[in-house]
Amino acid sequence: MPSKPPSKPSKPSVSNTNNKKKADERPRISYWKQISSFCNDERFRFILGLLLIIMVLYTLLAFISFFFTGAADASILENQWGDQSAMRKNITNWTGILGAILANAFLDKWFGVSSFVILYAAAILAFRLMGVHRFSLWRTFFQSAFWLIWGSITIGFLCKSFYIDSFFRWGGGHGLGISEWLVSYVQIYGTVLILSALLLIFLIFSYKGTIPFLKKTGRAMLNALKRKPKQPATDEAGQETDETEKNVAVGTEIVPEEWIEEPINDATDEKEIEFQVQPTEEEEEENENEDHNEAETDFVVETGKTDEQETETAEENITLEVDTPQDTEEADPYYNLKNLGKYDPTLDLSHYEFPTLDLLKTYPNENAPVIDMNEQNANKNRIITALRNYGIEIESIKATIGPTITLYEIVPRAGVRISKIRNLESDIMMSLAATGIRIIAPIPGKGTIGIEVPNENPQIVSMHSVIASKKFQEESKYQLPVALGRTITNEVFMFDLAKTPHLLVAGATGQGKSVGLNAIITSLLYKKHPSELKLVLVDPKMVEFNIYAALEKHYMAKMPDEDNVIITDSTKVIQTLNSLVIEMENRYKLLMEAHCRNIVEYNEKFINRQLNPEKGHRYLPYIVIVIDEFGDFIMVAGKEVEMPISRITQKARAVGMHMILATQRPSSNIITGIIKANVPSRIAFRVDSSLNSRIILDATGAEQLVGRGDLLYAGGNDVVRVQCAFVDTPEVEEIVHHISTQQAYPSAYELPEYVPGENDGTPMPGSVDLSKRDPLFTDVARFVVAQQQGSTSVIQRHFQIGYNRAGRITDQLEAAGIVSGNNGSKGRQVLVQDDFTLTQILEGLL
């Protein structure tokens, strides 16, 4: 029988295939279910949230510690990165190396203090995981992201000036970078508008009450702008009635009409009830000035019996409110505080812009000294060893690191004589291999002995770091603030030149004296308006102060008809000093007439319109006289220079004139006893010998300075060591260019003319140069002739210029014969009666 063909293999049934697929997928599905169930397990979520809370607390502690230890840790992280053992030993953050790295990254490099928002968002997430509260994660993320980024930029924009005195960037690198980018495109006001707009948009989306609040605020502003005095209305009969009949005032409370019951009798309507609706004219003026609109709706109910009493009281009140001049016989009804407001000395240059910080050069690590722990430890061990070699044991030693000097404070054991340590100055200097050390035994106010040792790698103290510091920017008590540099503790050192009141600057050639003078002048230019400060610069070298010549019409003072504003010739120096003596005497006369003791009281009275310029009074700017290398003039002119200097230093303080004398010859024949007696404040740069140090400071120490701006300042009983701020010539050129390109006065501040043999202090007739007339001279002359009024105050008010400029124009009118001289309280008389005569005078001046 033929064999049957082999049967085809049977196909697996569909059900078997599906079962196999299900069998293959079953383990995978159960695996993900296990992961999902594990993640959703309450215990896992609680543990995860607990760990997150611990991380938040750890980071929070690291952030808080950063504010106290971040400065030292940042230097260690920068200089000792990679040396784990050294970092573990020297890091002082409360949470160790990891906390220091986190805090430095978040608070300095990234988002600044806004980084605390990240901790807030993490804490919210942790509380949700732990089931404490079901917060909205999307809302929390959106709000936290906004406050993190917007806050970083805003803080970086607002706190930019704080970076000079801070070891970290308050807005972080992110905030500072973006804020500077915005300012570069839209300037400061545009940046403020952008940040404000972003904040409003965020608040509108985030909080429901924002739009109603904005609407309410807008309506209130519109109502305040539209509010007008109420007009009387007319009744049906056409008679005027007051709108306030709808609101009747009882006592001091306004009561709506519907609250008052109608009288039963018509006779009660005829009772003696009156309403005083409209205030007097004086009261209306007062209400408009003080924005007291409520006064127009306050009414008083009067009866017939009290009409006379109320009327008398009102008349008495009105009489008391009338301003009466203090001096009725001599007071000018036009020149008073009520009519003119306070005098503004900056009015002539109202658009003047002070120099900006970007004109000054910045240097790396200019705000904090670089700490070299190896150097500090080596010096500490050498000092201990040197003292032990001479049998001196100490209990403790502490180092304070400055930009160029490190101060080591030691506490010797009981029984050690201080003089013994002081006598070891040369031995300690040799053991340290230092260029010069200075021992302070003891440090004033402390029970320690100080040893000042120069750093191996001194830092430059930039003028930018000093000027931009919070201490200098926010100083408001000093009349003439000077930021000189930084102390050993890296603090900005400032003094008030007005309290000094005069200054002697001395030191050997090339030790920083000229840079110190430039630092003083730069400080004043950054703080004082041209109307408040005038400079007299004397420079025998002809190159030191020549750079400031472009400031002639802003800050300089000179004698009439003087060509060069920077004085270089010895003959001109003598004349200028004597002219300053005359200026000083004239100012004392003004103070005497005003019954003031100093320039501050005098200018305050003048600003408050208590001193009438028609009587010769004027606003007095401070005058700072800087004489570089006055020793050359002493050698050439001797007493002719020394005597006016002595007179100025003896008396000029009260009238706002202060002198700075500089020399590189600190010898007894230059710094004489008369000068030392009248110049109590001294600055000593490095000198060659202790004898020269004693001549300058009456003490040794200047011979141990390291040079390059290292100085000692003696302004009283204490001597302070300061590293002078460095300001380079290109920086000064930028500052001078910034000022000189702005609107200026017509000429420099004129000092009285000095004629040898005449020391009465009165300027000579004809001292006004009509070839240098003010641009407004012609217009003022025509106005004076047309109005027949030639007072300085009238010119000032009509042409809206400052008093000093108006006074100069008045003097030019007097010199041209248009007005008479000053007649005291009677005012000036206009000598020209018609326009034809005036035209002939003006044509003759051409």
Side-chain angles (χ1 to χ4, degrees), residues 173-324:
H174 165 268
L176 179 61
I178 295 183
S179 63
E180 288 181 342
W181 178 79
L182 283 173
V183 172
S184 67
Y185 278 93
V186 297
Q187 298 298 322
I188 293 177
Y189 297 112
T191 304
V192 172
L193 291 175
I194 290 174
L195 293 176
S196 302
L198 290 175
L199 178 62
L200 285 176
I201 294 172
F202 168 76
L203 293 177
I204 289 172
F205 278 103
S206 300
Y207 305 103
K208 296 180 180 179
T210 303
I211 294 179
F213 173 78
L214 293 177
K215 289 181 178 179
K216 183 178 179 182
T217 304
R219 292 192 191 100
M221 295 175 62
L222 289 175
N223 292 336
L225 293 174
K226 292 180 179 180
R227 185 176 295 169
K228 296 180 180 179
K230 296 184 179 180
Q231 301 295 331
T234 57
D235 57 10
E236 296 178 355
Q239 296 180 354
E240 288 190 357
T241 61
D242 199 281
E243 295 178 356
T244 55
E245 289 180 342
K246 296 181 180 180
N247 291 333
V248 181
V250 179
T252 59
E253 182 179 357
I254 300 177
V255 182
E257 182 183 11
E258 56 269 18
W259 290 7
I260 302 176
E261 297 180 357
E262 293 184 2
I264 299 175
N265 243 325
D266 290 341
T268 53
D269 292 337
E270 300 177 0
K271 282 190 177 180
E272 300 170 343
I273 301 178
E274 299 178 1
F275 301 93
Q276 291 187 352
V277 177
Q278 301 203 356
T280 61
E281 295 180 359
E282 290 85 349
E283 290 174 339
E284 287 181 350
E285 292 178 0
E286 235 176 295
N287 294 336
E288 291 176 0
N289 292 335
E290 300 179 2
D291 294 327
H292 289 167
N293 297 303
E294 292 82 3
E296 298 178 3
T297 58
D298 288 344
F299 311 101
V300 180
V301 178
E302 300 182 6
T303 62
K305 297 180 181 179
T306 58
D307 281 347
E308 295 178 0
Q309 296 178 359
E310 296 291 344
T311 304
E312 291 177 0
T313 305
E315 291 177 353
E316 290 177 0
N317 291 336
I318 294 174
T319 304
L320 291 174
E321 292 174 359
V322 175
D323 292 331
T324 57

Side-chain angles (χ1 to χ4, degrees), residues 478-549:
Y478 290 176
Q479 301 297 326
L480 294 174
V482 173
L484 191 59
R486 290 185 180 270
T487 63
I488 292 177
T489 58
N490 209 46
E491 296 179 358
V492 174
F493 180 79
M494 291 182 59
F495 65 89
D496 187 1
L497 184 61
K499 298 287 181 65
T500 305
H502 310 287
L503 188 63
L504 173 64
V505 182
T509 305
Q511 302 303 317
K513 176 176 56 65
S514 298
V515 174
L517 295 178
N518 285 329
I520 294 173
I521 296 174
T522 301
S523 299
L524 297 175
L525 294 180
Y526 266 89
K527 270 292 189 179
K528 305 304 291 185
H529 190 273
S531 63
E532 302 171 323
L533 172 68
K534 300 300 173 184
L535 299 173
V536 177
L537 302 182
V538 180
D539 179 19
K541 298 178 183 177
M542 303 183 185
V543 293
E544 293 294 341
F545 293 150
N546 189 54
I547 194 173
Y548 297 104

Side-chain angles (χ1 to χ4, degrees), residues 607-651:
I607 289 174
N608 291 321
R609 306 288 184 177
Q610 297 175 355
L611 300 176
N612 196 328
E614 293 298 330
K615 299 180 181 179
H617 292 289
R618 55 191 172 94
Y619 183 83
L620 300 179
Y622 284 92
I623 298 179
V624 176
I625 308 107
V626 185
I627 304 179
D628 189 17
E629 198 45 61
F630 77 97
D632 290 352
F633 299 114
I634 295 291
M635 298 295 292
V636 173
K639 293 294 182 181
E640 290 183 276
V641 172
E642 185 178 1
M643 290 310 297
I645 288 177
S646 300
R647 291 191 63 186
I648 292 173
T649 53
Q650 284 175 354
K651 296 178 55 180

Side-chain angles (χ1 to χ4, degrees), residues 568-802:
T568 58
D569 183 69
S570 59
T571 304
K572 297 293 184 181
V573 171
I574 297 172
Q575 296 177 0
T576 302
L577 289 175
N578 284 282
S579 174
L580 288 168
V581 172
I582 298 173
E583 173 75 11
M584 177 185 69
E585 298 295 343
N586 291 342
R587 289 187 171 206
Y588 265 109
K589 291 178 182 178
L590 293 176
L591 262 66
M592 180 182 65
E593 294 172 359
H595 306 289
C596 298
R597 294 179 299 176
N598 53 56
I599 188 175
V600 177
E601 295 180 4
Y602 179 88
N603 282 340
E604 185 177 356
K605 278 191 174 183
F606 191 88
I607 289 174
N608 291 321
R609 306 288 184 177
Q610 297 175 355
L611 300 176
N612 196 328
E614 293 298 330
K615 299 180 181 179
H617 292 289
R618 55 191 172 94
Y619 183 83
L620 300 179
Y622 284 92
I623 298 179
V624 176
I625 308 107
V626 185
I627 304 179
D628 189 17
E629 198 45 61
F630 77 97
D632 290 352
F633 299 114
I634 295 291
M635 298 295 292
V636 173
K639 293 294 182 181
E640 290 183 276
V641 172
E642 185 178 1
M643 290 310 297
I645 288 177
S646 300
R647 291 191 63 186
I648 292 173
T649 53
Q650 284 175 354
K651 296 178 55 180
R653 171 183 182 177
V655 293
M657 299 171 63
H658 305 277
M659 183 168 286
I660 300 174
L661 303 174
T663 182
Q664 60 184 5
R665 302 178 186 176
S667 57
S668 58
N669 60 336
I670 301 298
I671 306 176
T672 62
I674 296 177
I675 292 177
K676 290 180 66 175
N678 296 317
V679 185
S681 298
R682 326 274 174 78
I683 291 178
F685 291 87
R686 180 180 172 86
V687 295
D688 298 329
S689 64
S690 60
L691 176 61
N692 290 340
S693 178
R694 289 185 180 277
I695 292 174
I696 304 170
L697 301 173
D698 296 326
T700 60
E703 74 279 3
Q704 300 293 352
L705 299 175
V706 297
R708 301 187 64 182
D710 190 18
L711 64 88
L712 295 176
Y713 174 84
N717 298 327
D718 298 336
V719 178
V720 183
R721 192 166 187 173
V722 180
Q723 177 61 40
C724 183
F726 178 70
V727 52
D728 204 359
T729 302
E731 297 177 74
V732 179
E733 289 176 346
E734 289 290 335
I735 295 171
V736 171
H737 177 73
H738 173 85
I739 297 174
S740 61
T741 55
Q742 300 185 55
Q743 179 189 4
Y745 294 108
S747 61
Y749 183 88
E750 286 193 358
L751 298 173
E753 184 177 4
Y754 169 73
V755 178
E758 298 183 9
N759 295 323
D760 57 355
T762 304
M764 296 294 294
S767 60
V768 177
D769 188 1
L770 291 178
S771 64
K772 300 179 181 178
R773 299 187 299 276
D774 191 278
L776 291 175
F777 176 82
T778 301
D779 294 336
V780 174
R782 296 192 182 280
F783 170 80
V784 167
V785 173
Q787 300 295 326
Q788 289 296 302
Q789 290 182 343
S791 67
T792 305
S793 59
V794 171
I795 296 173
Q796 177 189 355
R797 288 195 302 272
H798 183 78
F799 291 92
Q800 297 182 352
I801 59 177

Side-chain angles (χ1 to χ4, degrees), residues 30 58 161 191 202 293 342 349 361 365 430 559 584 688 744 771 801:
S30 61
Y58 175 83
S161 61
T191 304
F202 168 76
N293 297 303
K342 289 188 175 183
L349 302 182
K361 186 178 179 181
N365 300 317
M430 184 178 67
M559 292 190 304
M584 177 185 69
D688 298 329
S771 64
I801 59 177

